[in-house]
Amino acid sequence: MKTVAILALAGSAAAFAPSQDGASSSTALRSFDLSKEVGAMAPLGAFDPFGLCRDNNTRDSFDYMRRIEITHGRVAMLAVTGYLTTAAGIRFPGAENIPDGFASFKALSETDDGNNVLLQMLATTAVLTILNGEKSNPDYEPLFVGDYSNGTPIKGWSKMSAETQLRKRNIEINQGRAAMMGITGLMVHEALGVSILPTGYLPGQ
């Protein structure tokens, strides 16, 4: 578990790496207020223990890392939800015989129901990737990194104050970070044969 914690710490550290534009990276680095970046919150604040801000101190580098963090966070939130939902015995129609946990991988590749579920997953992922791609609407300029609305109005977003929008962006990033830690913990404990679910149920058994 110590190794998992270290890896998770390394993954989250990129969230606080500073970003600047300009020829002089050292000058930009000194003038950049890391504590004002979205995701830099108490108690850690401007947190960059691995010096990623020193090695990747351009706007493009920071936006790239932030984009990766947001995407992984969103996938992790779906993963935790799916893990807990299947552990509770809930299945989509046609997937009733697919086991939960790591045991599902074998079923996805070796059974007809599993093949159907796998194809549905791949098709859904492909469609969402295309629709949410930054270039799917070249006339739309994203409001911030992670804005994949492509001009489609988000209900209520435009009516929120700047403070509320910032708070919600912080909430998403931090929930994504928690989910990345969460799904890692769930998988490690299942591999160790130790349940951390409230009922003591161990998926994949």
Side-chain angles (χ1 to χ4, degrees):
M1 289 306 294
K2 290 183 179 179
T3 301
V4 173
I6 293 173
L7 292 175
L9 184 63
S12 63
F16 307 107
S19 53
Q20 318 82 8
D21 293 314
S24 176
S25 61
S26 59
T27 301
L29 185 59
R30 286 194 298 270
S31 62
F32 185 81
D33 190 354
L34 187 59
S35 64
K36 296 296 174 59
E37 275 297 316
V38 174
M41 302 178 65
L44 298 178
F47 186 63
D48 182 30
F50 296 99
L52 296 180
C53 61
R54 181 178 61 250
D55 302 326
N56 303 278
N57 57 355
T58 65
R59 171 58 63 184
D60 288 343
S61 295
F62 177 77
D63 287 351
Y64 174 73
M65 291 187 289
R66 174 49 54 85
R67 190 176 297 111
I68 290 176
E69 179 189 28
I70 291 175
T71 300
H72 279 75
R74 291 170 178 173
V75 171
M77 286 187 277
L78 288 172
V80 170
T81 301
Y83 192 98
L84 297 178
T85 299
T86 54
I90 301 173
R91 300 287 190 279
F92 283 118
E96 293 88 349
N97 297 322
I98 304 298
D100 51 16
F102 290 134
S104 63
F105 291 122
K106 184 177 181 179
L108 290 176
S109 62
E110 296 182 358
T111 67
D112 291 338
D113 287 345
N115 291 161
N116 290 332
V117 171
L118 185 59
L119 289 175
Q120 292 175 32
M121 291 169 59
L122 293 175
T124 301
T125 301
V127 170
L128 290 176
T129 300
I130 294 172
L131 292 179
N132 292 327
E134 290 185 340
K135 302 302 182 182
S136 61
N137 184 357
D139 297 326
Y140 177 72
E141 185 67 25
L143 300 176
F144 48 83
V145 177
D147 172 20
Y148 298 122
S149 64
N150 289 305
T152 302
I154 302 176
K155 184 178 180 181
W157 183 260
S158 61
K159 297 180 180 179
M160 298 178 189
S161 65
E163 292 77 11
T164 300
Q165 291 180 353
L166 179 61
R167 181 174 63 84
K168 288 187 175 294
R169 290 175 62 195
N170 274 309
I171 288 173
E172 181 194 24
I173 287 178
N174 282 294
Q175 287 183 339
R177 292 168 181 169
M180 286 187 277
M181 296 285 286
I183 191 60
T184 301
L186 288 168
M187 292 190 298
V188 168
H189 279 81
E190 180 183 341
L192 294 174
V194 179
S195 174
I196 56 175
L197 299 180
T199 62
Y201 174 71
L202 184 63
Q205 304 304 311

